[in-house]
Amino acid sequence: MFHWIEKSPKALDNGGVIAPDERLPWPQTGIMGLQHVIAMFGSTILAPILMGFDPNIAVLMSGIGTLIFFLITGGKVPSYLGSSFAFIAVVVAATGYPGSGANANIGLALGGIVVCGLLYTLIGVVVHAIGTGWIERLMPPVVTGAIVAVIGLNLAAIPIKNMASNNFESWMQALTFVCVALVAVFTRGMLQRLLILVGLVIASLCYIALTNGLDLGKPVDFSGIANAAWFGLPSLTAPVFDSKAMLLIAPVAIILVAENLGHIKAVTAMTGRNIDQYMGRAFIGDGVATMVSASVGGTGVTTYAENIGVMAATRIYSTAIFLVAAAAAILLGFSPKFGEVIRAIPVPVMGGVSIVVFGLIAIAGAKIWVDNRVDFSQNKNLLVAAITLILGTGDFTLHFGSFAMAGIGTATFGAIVLYALLNRAEPDPRQGGAQ
């Protein structure tokens, strides 16, 4: 059903792009898929932890969700679906989650997430039927670029604030992103395309040598790997449909639409392939995957900016890679031992990798502006971008009774509403250029 044009690895030597309908030989495709698993892993397990969900279920459902997305889009859109951070604030509000341990009211959150996925799917059906024009009028390049950029900037505090507890670990983060940068600049071919994975391995080995060997920091504990079973079934949880929780959580669908739109625009800009025709399918795929995930205890999912960052760095956009990544994630979800191997990666090393990936997300947003020639001499464009970046980066929060909108949410809605408001003014005849 799905066919890719096989490209020789030599196509990478001169910086060639591997398009969505192309692939490297399967061994190289498999390795690249593993790199995408590593790129998504930190955020995909962090989001459920912050909401009191089971991280193993989240990883499992990210793989299944990615397969659902692949099938519904016909293998035309290169994306990985991971845990969405857009749900955290509303899930905490709906469940009263105290911030640690298992979420005792997880069923309420799951019911709201299922309804959110249904709303998202319906939006996708409308887009598929009548096109994306109405969405693009609401969210032109200046808005989508700002939203994509702010996703990376909003996530920046996670590695900086939460993934280094002392000076040694901060230095290990720095060593990690320097390793990734050195691989990116001073290697060629497949090794260069594996910059995230290779940099992570080098930094992890350095960390183990300095801690387990020289006792300079917290050593890596391998006992979890030794004691974990090879295979095991994660525990499932059923959703509970409560009207208050559903009203709180369902509007997150608008944020997911904006995220997905921005991600597709970013991929279009990077690949030179117009995949807008598949946007409705992408929304439907993401919505269905969210419903399936939440129906068994998983988080809501979204097309992952982290993996778009990896594609931007590697210039490999083959959708075949995401089949491999999805299969690996499913294996991880069913394998406690495999999960412990990934969890054994030192947190500061994951933090250093996250700094790179989140930065690449921010740059992907800026690339949307550049590729669409957004004219920042127009005050409406300048102010929409400027205000959106600060709202998202500073985690600006608005409260509407028991409902709170923060960070990416306020930035997303703020950008859409502000552009609609400012765009009503007559354009200055002295200013031209793209909107």
Side-chain angles (χ1 to χ4, degrees), residues 233-260:
L233 295 176
S235 57
L236 307 181
T237 305
V240 175
F241 296 96
D242 174 80
S243 58
K244 181 179 179 181
M246 290 188 293
L247 286 173
L248 278 172
I249 297 173
V252 172
I254 304 300
I255 300 175
L256 299 181
V257 166
E259 285 182 346
N260 204 338

PDB file of all heavy atoms in Angstrom, residues 233-260:
ATOM      1  N   LEU A 233       2.608  -6.202  30.663  1.00  0.00           N
ATOM      2  CA  LEU A 233       1.449  -5.414  30.243  1.00  0.00           C
ATOM      3  C   LEU A 233       1.260  -4.217  31.156  1.00  0.00           C
ATOM      4  O   LEU A 233       1.229  -4.371  32.382  1.00  0.00           O
ATOM      5  CB  LEU A 233       0.192  -6.281  30.268  1.00  0.00           C
ATOM      6  CG  LEU A 233       0.138  -7.449  29.281  1.00  0.00           C
ATOM      7  CD1 LEU A 233      -1.124  -8.272  29.508  1.00  0.00           C
ATOM      8  CD2 LEU A 233       0.195  -6.939  27.841  1.00  0.00           C
ATOM      9  N   PRO A 234       1.148  -3.028  30.596  1.00  0.00           N
ATOM     10  CA  PRO A 234       0.871  -1.851  31.434  1.00  0.00           C
ATOM     11  C   PRO A 234      -0.572  -1.886  31.936  1.00  0.00           C
ATOM     12  O   PRO A 234      -1.432  -2.529  31.341  1.00  0.00           O
ATOM     13  CB  PRO A 234       1.105  -0.673  30.474  1.00  0.00           C
ATOM     14  CG  PRO A 234       0.855  -1.248  29.118  1.00  0.00           C
ATOM     15  CD  PRO A 234       1.282  -2.681  29.177  1.00  0.00           C
ATOM     16  N   SER A 235      -0.831  -1.195  33.027  1.00  0.00           N
ATOM     17  CA  SER A 235      -2.189  -1.156  33.581  1.00  0.00           C
ATOM     18  C   SER A 235      -3.023  -0.116  32.842  1.00  0.00           C
ATOM     19  O   SER A 235      -2.570   1.001  32.596  1.00  0.00           O
ATOM     20  CB  SER A 235      -2.137  -0.825  35.075  1.00  0.00           C
ATOM     21  OG  SER A 235      -1.475   0.411  35.290  1.00  0.00           O
ATOM     22  N   LEU A 236      -4.249  -0.495  32.497  1.00  0.00           N
ATOM     23  CA  LEU A 236      -5.137   0.370  31.724  1.00  0.00           C
ATOM     24  C   LEU A 236      -6.154   1.048  32.637  1.00  0.00           C
ATOM     25  O   LEU A 236      -6.521   0.516  33.689  1.00  0.00           O
ATOM     26  CB  LEU A 236      -5.861  -0.435  30.649  1.00  0.00           C
ATOM     27  CG  LEU A 236      -4.981  -1.271  29.708  1.00  0.00           C
ATOM     28  CD1 LEU A 236      -5.851  -1.990  28.684  1.00  0.00           C
ATOM     29  CD2 LEU A 236      -3.934  -0.409  29.022  1.00  0.00           C
ATOM     30  N   THR A 237      -6.636   2.225  32.228  1.00  0.00           N
ATOM     31  CA  THR A 237      -7.626   2.982  32.997  1.00  0.00           C
ATOM     32  C   THR A 237      -8.733   3.452  32.057  1.00  0.00           C
ATOM     33  O   THR A 237      -8.446   3.924  30.953  1.00  0.00           O
ATOM     34  CB  THR A 237      -6.985   4.204  33.679  1.00  0.00           C
ATOM     35  OG1 THR A 237      -5.878   3.778  34.474  1.00  0.00           O
ATOM     36  CG2 THR A 237      -7.990   4.923  34.558  1.00  0.00           C
ATOM     37  N   ALA A 238      -9.980   3.338  32.498  1.00  0.00           N
ATOM     38  CA  ALA A 238     -11.123   3.740  31.677  1.00  0.00           C
ATOM     39  C   ALA A 238     -11.482   5.204  31.934  1.00  0.00           C
ATOM     40  O   ALA A 238     -11.330   5.698  33.051  1.00  0.00           O
ATOM     41  CB  ALA A 238     -12.318   2.849  31.976  1.00  0.00           C
ATOM     42  N   PRO A 239     -11.966   5.910  30.922  1.00  0.00           N
ATOM     43  CA  PRO A 239     -12.377   7.312  31.114  1.00  0.00           C
ATOM     44  C   PRO A 239     -13.698   7.431  31.863  1.00  0.00           C
ATOM     45  O   PRO A 239     -14.541   6.535  31.829  1.00  0.00           O
ATOM     46  CB  PRO A 239     -12.510   7.835  29.679  1.00  0.00           C
ATOM     47  CG  PRO A 239     -12.786   6.627  28.850  1.00  0.00           C
ATOM     48  CD  PRO A 239     -12.070   5.486  29.511  1.00  0.00           C
ATOM     49  N   VAL A 240     -13.862   8.555  32.540  1.00  0.00           N
ATOM     50  CA  VAL A 240     -15.110   8.904  33.218  1.00  0.00           C
ATOM     51  C   VAL A 240     -15.575  10.227  32.619  1.00  0.00           C
ATOM     52  O   VAL A 240     -14.814  11.196  32.574  1.00  0.00           O
ATOM     53  CB  VAL A 240     -14.905   9.056  34.742  1.00  0.00           C
ATOM     54  CG1 VAL A 240     -16.182   9.542  35.401  1.00  0.00           C
ATOM     55  CG2 VAL A 240     -14.452   7.733  35.351  1.00  0.00           C
ATOM     56  N   PHE A 241     -16.821  10.277  32.159  1.00  0.00           N
ATOM     57  CA  PHE A 241     -17.308  11.462  31.455  1.00  0.00           C
ATOM     58  C   PHE A 241     -18.079  12.369  32.419  1.00  0.00           C
ATOM     59  O   PHE A 241     -19.215  12.083  32.791  1.00  0.00           O
ATOM     60  CB  PHE A 241     -18.157  11.049  30.262  1.00  0.00           C
ATOM     61  CG  PHE A 241     -17.374  10.294  29.221  1.00  0.00           C
ATOM     62  CD1 PHE A 241     -17.381   8.905  29.212  1.00  0.00           C
ATOM     63  CD2 PHE A 241     -16.601  10.964  28.294  1.00  0.00           C
ATOM     64  CE1 PHE A 241     -16.640   8.202  28.269  1.00  0.00           C
ATOM     65  CE2 PHE A 241     -15.858  10.280  27.347  1.00  0.00           C
ATOM     66  CZ  PHE A 241     -15.868   8.885  27.340  1.00  0.00           C
ATOM     67  N   ASP A 242     -17.425  13.456  32.799  1.00  0.00           N
ATOM     68  CA  ASP A 242     -17.985  14.437  33.718  1.00  0.00           C
ATOM     69  C   ASP A 242     -18.090  15.767  32.982  1.00  0.00           C
ATOM     70  O   ASP A 242     -17.119  16.220  32.349  1.00  0.00           O
ATOM     71  CB  ASP A 242     -17.079  14.574  34.943  1.00  0.00           C
ATOM     72  CG  ASP A 242     -17.516  15.683  35.868  1.00  0.00           C
ATOM     73  OD1 ASP A 242     -18.445  15.460  36.655  1.00  0.00           O
ATOM     74  OD2 ASP A 242     -16.915  16.781  35.790  1.00  0.00           O
ATOM     75  N   SER A 243     -19.267  16.404  33.052  1.00  0.00           N
ATOM     76  CA  SER A 243     -19.517  17.605  32.244  1.00  0.00           C
ATOM     77  C   SER A 243     -18.531  18.728  32.556  1.00  0.00           C
ATOM     78  O   SER A 243     -18.033  19.408  31.650  1.00  0.00           O
ATOM     79  CB  SER A 243     -20.946  18.088  32.455  1.00  0.00           C
ATOM     80  OG  SER A 243     -21.184  18.373  33.828  1.00  0.00           O
ATOM     81  N   LYS A 244     -18.214  18.941  33.832  1.00  0.00           N
ATOM     82  CA  LYS A 244     -17.309  20.025  34.191  1.00  0.00           C
ATOM     83  C   LYS A 244     -15.915  19.780  33.630  1.00  0.00           C
ATOM     84  O   LYS A 244     -15.281  20.675  33.052  1.00  0.00           O
ATOM     85  CB  LYS A 244     -17.246  20.175  35.707  1.00  0.00           C
ATOM     86  CG  LYS A 244     -16.344  21.313  36.163  1.00  0.00           C
ATOM     87  CD  LYS A 244     -16.333  21.456  37.685  1.00  0.00           C
ATOM     88  CE  LYS A 244     -15.396  22.586  38.117  1.00  0.00           C
ATOM     89  NZ  LYS A 244     -15.348  22.716  39.603  1.00  0.00           N
ATOM     90  N   ALA A 245     -15.431  18.544  33.792  1.00  0.00           N
ATOM     91  CA  ALA A 245     -14.104  18.205  33.275  1.00  0.00           C
ATOM     92  C   ALA A 245     -14.066  18.318  31.757  1.00  0.00           C
ATOM     93  O   ALA A 245     -13.084  18.809  31.174  1.00  0.00           O
ATOM     94  CB  ALA A 245     -13.705  16.803  33.723  1.00  0.00           C
ATOM     95  N   MET A 246     -15.138  17.884  31.103  1.00  0.00           N
ATOM     96  CA  MET A 246     -15.170  17.949  29.640  1.00  0.00           C
ATOM     97  C   MET A 246     -15.150  19.390  29.145  1.00  0.00           C
ATOM     98  O   MET A 246     -14.471  19.713  28.162  1.00  0.00           O
ATOM     99  CB  MET A 246     -16.405  17.214  29.119  1.00  0.00           C
ATOM    100  CG  MET A 246     -16.337  15.702  29.290  1.00  0.00           C
ATOM    101  SD  MET A 246     -17.685  14.791  28.486  1.00  0.00           S
ATOM    102  CE  MET A 246     -19.088  15.317  29.455  1.00  0.00           C
ATOM    103  N   LEU A 247     -15.895  20.284  29.828  1.00  0.00           N
ATOM    104  CA  LEU A 247     -15.911  21.695  29.434  1.00  0.00           C
ATOM    105  C   LEU A 247     -14.546  22.345  29.633  1.00  0.00           C
ATOM    106  O   LEU A 247     -14.156  23.244  28.881  1.00  0.00           O
ATOM    107  CB  LEU A 247     -16.973  22.444  30.229  1.00  0.00           C
ATOM    108  CG  LEU A 247     -18.425  22.169  29.826  1.00  0.00           C
ATOM    109  CD1 LEU A 247     -19.383  22.843  30.802  1.00  0.00           C
ATOM    110  CD2 LEU A 247     -18.683  22.643  28.400  1.00  0.00           C
ATOM    111  N   LEU A 248     -13.815  21.907  30.640  1.00  0.00           N
ATOM    112  CA  LEU A 248     -12.482  22.448  30.882  1.00  0.00           C
ATOM    113  C   LEU A 248     -11.477  21.996  29.835  1.00  0.00           C
ATOM    114  O   LEU A 248     -10.638  22.778  29.373  1.00  0.00           O
ATOM    115  CB  LEU A 248     -11.986  22.027  32.270  1.00  0.00           C
ATOM    116  CG  LEU A 248     -12.462  22.841  33.478  1.00  0.00           C
ATOM    117  CD1 LEU A 248     -12.028  22.157  34.764  1.00  0.00           C
ATOM    118  CD2 LEU A 248     -11.912  24.259  33.424  1.00  0.00           C
ATOM    119  N   ILE A 249     -11.563  20.717  29.466  1.00  0.00           N
ATOM    120  CA  ILE A 249     -10.499  20.110  28.666  1.00  0.00           C
ATOM    121  C   ILE A 249     -10.760  20.178  27.165  1.00  0.00           C
ATOM    122  O   ILE A 249      -9.821  20.343  26.373  1.00  0.00           O
ATOM    123  CB  ILE A 249     -10.286  18.649  29.121  1.00  0.00           C
ATOM    124  CG1 ILE A 249      -9.814  18.622  30.586  1.00  0.00           C
ATOM    125  CG2 ILE A 249      -9.275  17.927  28.233  1.00  0.00           C
ATOM    126  CD1 ILE A 249      -9.733  17.238  31.195  1.00  0.00           C
ATOM    127  N   ALA A 250     -12.007  20.092  26.737  1.00  0.00           N
ATOM    128  CA  ALA A 250     -12.314  20.026  25.305  1.00  0.00           C
ATOM    129  C   ALA A 250     -11.759  21.194  24.492  1.00  0.00           C
ATOM    130  O   ALA A 250     -11.278  20.998  23.365  1.00  0.00           O
ATOM    131  CB  ALA A 250     -13.830  19.915  25.102  1.00  0.00           C
ATOM    132  N   PRO A 251     -11.762  22.465  25.001  1.00  0.00           N
ATOM    133  CA  PRO A 251     -11.241  23.575  24.188  1.00  0.00           C
ATOM    134  C   PRO A 251      -9.762  23.468  23.828  1.00  0.00           C
ATOM    135  O   PRO A 251      -9.295  24.205  22.953  1.00  0.00           O
ATOM    136  CB  PRO A 251     -11.492  24.798  25.082  1.00  0.00           C
ATOM    137  CG  PRO A 251     -12.623  24.401  25.970  1.00  0.00           C
ATOM    138  CD  PRO A 251     -12.407  22.951  26.246  1.00  0.00           C
ATOM    139  N   VAL A 252      -9.039  22.562  24.463  1.00  0.00           N
ATOM    140  CA  VAL A 252      -7.628  22.364  24.103  1.00  0.00           C
ATOM    141  C   VAL A 252      -7.512  21.978  22.629  1.00  0.00           C
ATOM    142  O   VAL A 252      -6.457  22.147  22.004  1.00  0.00           O
ATOM    143  CB  VAL A 252      -6.980  21.300  25.020  1.00  0.00           C
ATOM    144  CG1 VAL A 252      -5.575  20.918  24.546  1.00  0.00           C
ATOM    145  CG2 VAL A 252      -6.918  21.815  26.454  1.00  0.00           C
ATOM    146  N   ALA A 253      -8.604  21.479  22.042  1.00  0.00           N
ATOM    147  CA  ALA A 253      -8.586  21.117  20.617  1.00  0.00           C
ATOM    148  C   ALA A 253      -8.117  22.272  19.745  1.00  0.00           C
ATOM    149  O   ALA A 253      -7.426  22.064  18.736  1.00  0.00           O
ATOM    150  CB  ALA A 253      -9.979  20.647  20.184  1.00  0.00           C
ATOM    151  N   ILE A 254      -8.479  23.507  20.119  1.00  0.00           N
ATOM    152  CA  ILE A 254      -8.067  24.670  19.319  1.00  0.00           C
ATOM    153  C   ILE A 254      -6.547  24.821  19.348  1.00  0.00           C
ATOM    154  O   ILE A 254      -5.921  25.136  18.327  1.00  0.00           O
ATOM    155  CB  ILE A 254      -8.737  25.956  19.848  1.00  0.00           C
ATOM    156  CG1 ILE A 254     -10.269  25.790  19.873  1.00  0.00           C
ATOM    157  CG2 ILE A 254      -8.337  27.144  18.999  1.00  0.00           C
ATOM    158  CD1 ILE A 254     -10.868  25.500  18.525  1.00  0.00           C
ATOM    159  N   ILE A 255      -5.951  24.577  20.504  1.00  0.00           N
ATOM    160  CA  ILE A 255      -4.491  24.657  20.605  1.00  0.00           C
ATOM    161  C   ILE A 255      -3.848  23.567  19.764  1.00  0.00           C
ATOM    162  O   ILE A 255      -2.844  23.800  19.073  1.00  0.00           O
ATOM    163  CB  ILE A 255      -4.052  24.549  22.074  1.00  0.00           C
ATOM    164  CG1 ILE A 255      -4.659  25.675  22.900  1.00  0.00           C
ATOM    165  CG2 ILE A 255      -2.531  24.574  22.190  1.00  0.00           C
ATOM    166  CD1 ILE A 255      -4.381  25.576  24.383  1.00  0.00           C
ATOM    167  N   LEU A 256      -4.421  22.359  19.800  1.00  0.00           N
ATOM    168  CA  LEU A 256      -3.870  21.259  19.017  1.00  0.00           C
ATOM    169  C   LEU A 256      -3.958  21.560  17.519  1.00  0.00           C
ATOM    170  O   LEU A 256      -3.041  21.226  16.760  1.00  0.00           O
ATOM    171  CB  LEU A 256      -4.611  19.965  19.345  1.00  0.00           C
ATOM    172  CG  LEU A 256      -4.537  19.481  20.793  1.00  0.00           C
ATOM    173  CD1 LEU A 256      -5.308  18.179  20.958  1.00  0.00           C
ATOM    174  CD2 LEU A 256      -3.088  19.297  21.234  1.00  0.00           C
ATOM    175  N   VAL A 257      -5.062  22.190  17.093  1.00  0.00           N
ATOM    176  CA  VAL A 257      -5.192  22.585  15.687  1.00  0.00           C
ATOM    177  C   VAL A 257      -4.068  23.548  15.307  1.00  0.00           C
ATOM    178  O   VAL A 257      -3.420  23.391  14.263  1.00  0.00           O
ATOM    179  CB  VAL A 257      -6.574  23.232  15.423  1.00  0.00           C
ATOM    180  CG1 VAL A 257      -6.583  23.952  14.070  1.00  0.00           C
ATOM    181  CG2 VAL A 257      -7.661  22.177  15.465  1.00  0.00           C
ATOM    182  N   ALA A 258      -3.843  24.542  16.163  1.00  0.00           N
ATOM    183  CA  ALA A 258      -2.799  25.531  15.867  1.00  0.00           C
ATOM    184  C   ALA A 258      -1.420  24.875  15.850  1.00  0.00           C
ATOM    185  O   ALA A 258      -0.587  25.177  14.986  1.00  0.00           O
ATOM    186  CB  ALA A 258      -2.835  26.647  16.906  1.00  0.00           C
ATOM    187  N   GLU A 259      -1.175  23.968  16.807  1.00  0.00           N
ATOM    188  CA  GLU A 259       0.110  23.265  16.834  1.00  0.00           C
ATOM    189  C   GLU A 259       0.304  22.461  15.559  1.00  0.00           C
ATOM    190  O   GLU A 259       1.358  22.532  14.910  1.00  0.00           O
ATOM    191  CB  GLU A 259       0.164  22.315  18.038  1.00  0.00           C
ATOM    192  CG  GLU A 259       0.385  22.994  19.377  1.00  0.00           C
ATOM    193  CD  GLU A 259       0.479  22.004  20.512  1.00  0.00           C
ATOM    194  OE1 GLU A 259       0.120  20.825  20.323  1.00  0.00           O
ATOM    195  OE2 GLU A 259       0.922  22.406  21.596  1.00  0.00           O
ATOM    196  N   ASN A 260      -0.705  21.677  15.199  1.00  0.00           N
ATOM    197  CA  ASN A 260      -0.592  20.813  14.035  1.00  0.00           C
ATOM    198  C   ASN A 260      -0.444  21.617  12.760  1.00  0.00           C
ATOM    199  O   ASN A 260       0.365  21.289  11.881  1.00  0.00           O
ATOM    200  CB  ASN A 260      -1.825  19.900  13.949  1.00  0.00           C
ATOM    201  CG  ASN A 260      -1.556  18.621  13.179  1.00  0.00           C
ATOM    202  OD1 ASN A 260      -0.642  18.547  12.377  1.00  0.00           O
ATOM    203  ND2 ASN A 260      -2.374  17.612  13.421  1.00  0.00           N
TER     204      ASN A 260
END
